[in-house]
Amino acid sequence: MKLFKPRRKMIVNQEVQYDVLMYVGLFVVSIFIVQIFTAYLFIEQVEKVVGSMSALEFLSRYKVSFLVYQIIPVSLSLLVGIYIFNRLTSRIAGPLYNIKRVLRRVSDVDADNVEIKLRQDDYFQEEVKDINVILKRKSK
C-alpha cells in the first residue's frame, strides 16, 4: 500500500498557479531587498562609531535603532503584500463562490435561465463558460 500517491501534473490551472507563484516570488524577493537596503542604511550610519566596540556593546547600544530600521520597512512590505494577496485571492474565491451559489440554486429550485456571471479580471473564465453551456442545456 502506497502512502504517497504522486499527481500526474503539478500545474493544474496554469493561469491561477503561475500568477500566485509569481506574486509570492515577487513578495519574498521584495522583502529581502527591503531588508538588505535598510541594513545597508543602518550600517552606513553606525560605521563611524563601531571601530572599537565589541559585538555585545554594539548590540546593546544600537538594538532599538536596528529594530526600527527593520520593523518599519518590513511591516510596510507585509501590509502591501497582504493587500495584493487579498486582491489576488478574491479573483479566485469570488468565482468559486458564484459557481457554488448558482449550482446550489439550480439544484434546490430547479430555476430556468440561470447563468454564472464573473467580473472581467476573475480567474476561471473558461470553466464558467463550460458550466454555463451545461446549465443552458439542462434548462431546455
Side-chain angles (χ1 to χ4, degrees):
M1 184 173 110
K2 279 189 172 180
L3 293 176
F4 178 72
K5 185 177 179 183
R7 287 194 258 168
R8 290 187 197 139
K9 287 174 66 176
M10 291 295 287
I11 304 295
V12 178
N13 189 326
Q14 290 181 355
E15 178 186 22
V16 175
Q17 287 176 298
Y18 285 158
D19 278 358
V20 169
L21 289 174
M22 178 188 65
Y23 284 116
V24 167
L26 287 174
F27 180 65
V28 169
V29 167
S30 69
I31 287 182
F32 182 71
I33 289 172
V34 165
Q35 281 192 317
I36 288 174
F37 182 70
T38 55
Y40 176 76
L41 288 177
F42 176 73
I43 289 172
E44 187 178 82
Q45 285 188 353
V46 297
E47 196 172 30
K48 302 165 193 136
V49 196
V50 175
S52 61
M53 277 189 210
S54 69
L56 187 59
E57 287 175 319
F58 176 77
L59 285 176
S60 65
R61 188 168 185 184
Y62 293 106
K63 68 182 172 190
V64 174
S65 58
F66 183 72
L67 287 175
V68 167
Y69 270 108
Q70 288 295 310
I71 288 175
I72 292 174
V74 171
S75 299
L76 288 175
S77 296
L78 286 173
L79 289 175
V80 168
I82 288 170
Y83 175 76
I84 289 172
F85 285 116
N86 184 32
R87 299 282 295 165
L88 180 67
T89 56
S90 71
R91 291 176 58 197
I92 297 169
L96 295 176
Y97 173 76
N98 283 337
I99 292 169
K100 181 180 176 182
R101 181 179 51 82
V102 168
L103 291 178
R104 187 174 286 157
R105 191 172 75 193
V106 166
S107 67
D108 290 346
V109 181
D110 197 32
D112 291 335
N113 296 328
V114 227
E115 186 176 351
I116 302 170
K117 294 177 182 152
L118 299 179
R119 297 171 292 217
Q120 188 162 353
D121 63 339
D122 280 343
Y123 293 116
F124 308 116
Q125 297 285 342
E126 292 180 25
E127 290 82 3
V128 167
K129 285 179 188 175
D130 294 340
I131 293 172
N132 282 335
V133 167
I134 292 171
L135 288 174
K136 285 180 184 176
R137 284 185 190 165
K138 183 188 180 286
S139 65
K140 288 182 181 181

